[in-house]
Amino acid sequence: MKILPTPVEEFVNRTDRNRSLAFGISGAVLAFWSLYRVFWALYVSMTFSGIGWSPVSLMVPIVLWGAIGVVSAVAAFAFLTRYAKQT
């Protein structure tokens, strides 16, 4: 099952193996940072709603960091899979 479009997969396959490792690790770190930001924004929105503030203002950062996290996780998976190949 392919999760990447063909042009992106061709780009990943053309990337050097060591550079793929660097891109993969960077993408994984960004994905974990995005997950942290989403959980933190959810915590803050629940806390602020407890004191009467509207949590709607934090929906944009939650969606933004969620999208960044998904894209970086897919990129990390693609580059680390490329690194795991022997050729």
Side-chain angles (χ1 to χ4, degrees), residues 25-64:
I25 291 172
S26 299
V29 167
L30 181 59
F32 283 120
W33 177 253
S34 300
L35 183 67
Y36 169 77
R37 293 292 303 243
V38 166
F39 283 141
W40 182 252
L42 288 172
Y43 169 75
V44 168
S45 68
M46 287 184 279
T47 304
F48 283 176
S49 68
I51 60 172
W53 290 11
S54 176
V56 175
S57 62
L58 288 173
M59 292 312 295
V60 172
I62 291 171
V63 171
L64 176 68

Side-chain angles (χ1 to χ4, degrees), residues 1-86:
M1 181 174 95
K2 298 194 180 236
I3 61 171
L4 295 175
T6 304
V8 175
E9 186 176 351
E10 289 173 357
F11 173 75
V12 169
N13 288 335
R14 283 192 314 244
T15 307
D16 181 42
R17 190 166 183 256
N18 291 331
R19 191 167 289 211
S20 294
L21 178 62
F23 288 157
I25 291 172
S26 299
V29 167
L30 181 59
F32 283 120
W33 177 253
S34 300
L35 183 67
Y36 169 77
R37 293 292 303 243
V38 166
F39 283 141
W40 182 252
L42 288 172
Y43 169 75
V44 168
S45 68
M46 287 184 279
T47 304
F48 283 176
S49 68
I51 60 172
W53 290 11
S54 176
V56 175
S57 62
L58 288 173
M59 292 312 295
V60 172
I62 291 171
V63 171
L64 176 68
W65 281 105
I68 290 171
V70 168
V71 170
S72 63
V74 169
F77 177 76
F79 281 110
L80 291 175
T81 303
R82 163 64 180 105
Y83 176 76
K85 291 182 182 177
Q86 294 297 324

